[in-house]
Amino acid sequence: MRLADRISTKRRSENMRRIKSTGTKPEMLVRRMVHAMGYRYRLRRKDLPGKPDLVFGPRRAAIFVHGCFWHQHDCRDGKLPSSNSDYWVPKLARNVERDKLVRSALEADGWRVLVIWECELKDHQSTAQRIQKFLSPCRA
C-alpha cells in the first residue's frame, strides 16, 4: 500500500467516524419545519420497524429523512464512490434493501410512510407542502 493510499484511508476513516445517524442537519431541518406547522411527533420509536425519524402515532404516519449517499438516491449526491467499491457497493445495497423491507413492514401494519431525501430539502417550500399534504387529515 502506498503512503498516499494510507493517508487517504486514514482521512476517510476519520470522516466516517464523525458521521452521525441521528440529529443530522437534514433531520433537524425537517423537525423544525414540522414543528412550525404545529404537528407534534415522537422520535425513532423503537417498537416500529426501522425506527422512523419522525412518528405521528395517532395519524399512523412515519417520516424518514434519508441521506442521498447512504440510501442511494437517484441524484448527483447519491453516486457510488469510485474508490474501494468492493466495500461500498454491498454496504450501500444492503441499506437500500433494508429500506424497502422496513417500508413494506410499516405499510403492511397500516402505517403511511413518507421519505424525504436530503437533496429535496434545498426547496423548503416544496418540502413543506409535501409534508403538509402527507399529514393533513383530509386525504383522498
Side-chain angles (χ1 to χ4, degrees):
M1 183 181 278
R2 297 181 352 228
L3 177 62
D5 292 336
R6 280 196 308 235
I7 292 170
S8 176
T9 302
K10 192 173 184 178
R11 185 175 298 134
R12 176 169 289 163
S13 179
E14 182 159 333
N15 287 344
M16 297 300 289
R17 193 173 21 258
R18 290 183 190 164
I19 295 172
K20 304 180 296 181
S21 63
T22 61
T24 61
K25 286 181 184 179
E27 182 185 332
M28 296 304 292
L29 182 61
V30 171
R31 286 168 53 180
R32 281 192 296 272
M33 209 180 283
V34 169
H35 191 270
M37 291 178 199
Y39 295 106
R40 298 301 174 255
Y41 51 87
R42 296 286 173 250
L43 298 176
R44 291 172 285 286
R45 270 187 40 189
K46 292 175 176 61
D47 61 325
L48 293 176
K51 295 185 279 186
D53 296 313
L54 287 81
V55 179
F56 305 84
R59 297 173 187 275
R60 304 246 341 141
I63 295 179
F64 288 94
V65 182
H66 283 339
C68 296
F69 172 74
W70 294 106
H71 298 270
Q72 290 297 280
H73 188 226
D74 187 22
C75 71
R76 181 178 61 87
D77 299 329
K79 67 181 182 132
L80 286 168
S82 57
S83 65
N84 203 8
S85 59
D86 290 342
Y87 171 78
W88 285 110
V89 170
K91 177 178 180 56
L92 297 174
R94 283 191 311 267
N95 289 351
V96 172
E97 186 60 31
R98 185 178 57 242
D99 292 341
K100 289 177 187 174
L101 293 172
V102 163
R103 185 176 188 136
S104 296
L106 283 168
E107 289 173 345
D109 200 25
W111 287 83
R112 294 179 300 113
V113 178
L114 176 66
V115 174
I116 298 175
W117 293 97
E118 181 180 10
C119 64
E120 294 174 335
L121 292 171
K122 293 172 186 166
D123 185 354
H124 294 280
Q125 186 173 2
S126 175
T127 303
Q129 287 172 348
R130 277 186 64 214
I131 293 169
Q132 184 73 43
K133 184 177 179 182
F134 176 72
L135 294 174
S136 67
C138 300
R139 292 184 44 89

